[in-house]
Amino acid sequence: MGSPALPWGSGVILLRIRGIARLAARGFLAVCLCSVVLASRADDPKPTAANTIHVALSAPVAPQKFPQSLKFTLGEVVDRAGNPQPMLVTSGHGAIFVDRLPAEIVRDAIESSLKSADLLAADAASADMALGVYLFHFGLAPSSGGDYFGKVELAVTVKNSKTGKSQQVSASGTSISRVAILKKNAMKNLEENLTTALGDAVRNLLRGQALRDAITKTMAEASAGN
């Protein structure tokens, strides 16, 4: 035998109570989810003196010599790697970080190398060529698991400051080192690994035939008045 029908007013009240209960349950679930997200963010590793490595060229890269006397200016280095934690090298060993943003590391390496050969212009107005750098990879790339495979990948716009004509060149550097068990050894290996990859990328850019060809072409276009 079915339950006796509730009076019309009582039925409306019951429906409202049920609706309020559903809203309360949804609100409770939302609060729980927010708590989980906030807790996970709070647990995210942070760079400290104990888990940070310093990546920088041990010595500037000597650029190639060009037929013309040129001065370069280095524009913005744009990080296009899409890494949400660009300073995080690896989450292994409780996380290991670099001490600066990758774009800053790359900019310093290129700028110091140009300056060492007196190829760095005092300002953009006095430069013959402007370099715009896009950083597509900085850090570890997939490997076999037994090695650290460091990689630095650049795409560079070479622009003639007088004509505005530009050419695109690319440069990359890689390095392989063994995975270490102890954290201090891992940090040492990763620092050396990424420093080598950075040096190779800058060397391949400043000493590469692609840069020479790009400059030659933009200079020829300037002479032809194109």
Side-chain angles (χ1 to χ4, degrees), residues 32-114:
C32 290
L33 290 174
C34 288
S35 299
V36 170
V37 171
L38 291 173
S40 64
R41 288 180 179 175
D43 292 338
D44 283 345
K46 302 292 189 298
T48 65
N51 65 8
T52 301
I53 60 176
H54 179 68
V55 176
L57 296 182
S58 56
V61 171
Q64 62 186 296
K65 296 185 182 299
F66 300 99
Q68 308 91 338
S69 177
L70 298 177
K71 292 287 187 178
F72 294 83
T73 185
L74 181 60
E76 187 179 4
V77 178
V78 180
D79 193 337
R80 291 287 177 84
N83 187 350
Q85 290 183 282
M87 294 171 64
L88 178 64
V89 178
T90 177
S91 56
H93 295 286
I96 296 174
F97 296 83
V98 287
D99 60 354
R100 296 175 292 165
L101 288 170
E104 296 176 15
I105 295 172
V106 170
R107 180 183 182 82
D108 179 65
I110 297 174
E111 201 168 57
S112 63
S113 296
L114 290 172

Side-chain angles (χ1 to χ4, degrees), residues 117-152:
D118 195 27
L119 294 179
L120 187 65
D123 51 42
S126 61
D128 301 293
M129 296 287 166
L131 303 180
V133 181
Y134 295 91
L135 176 60
F136 284 96
H137 192 97
F138 184 100
L140 295 180
S143 67
S144 63
D147 299 305
Y148 294 130
F149 181 33
K151 182 179 180 182
V152 176

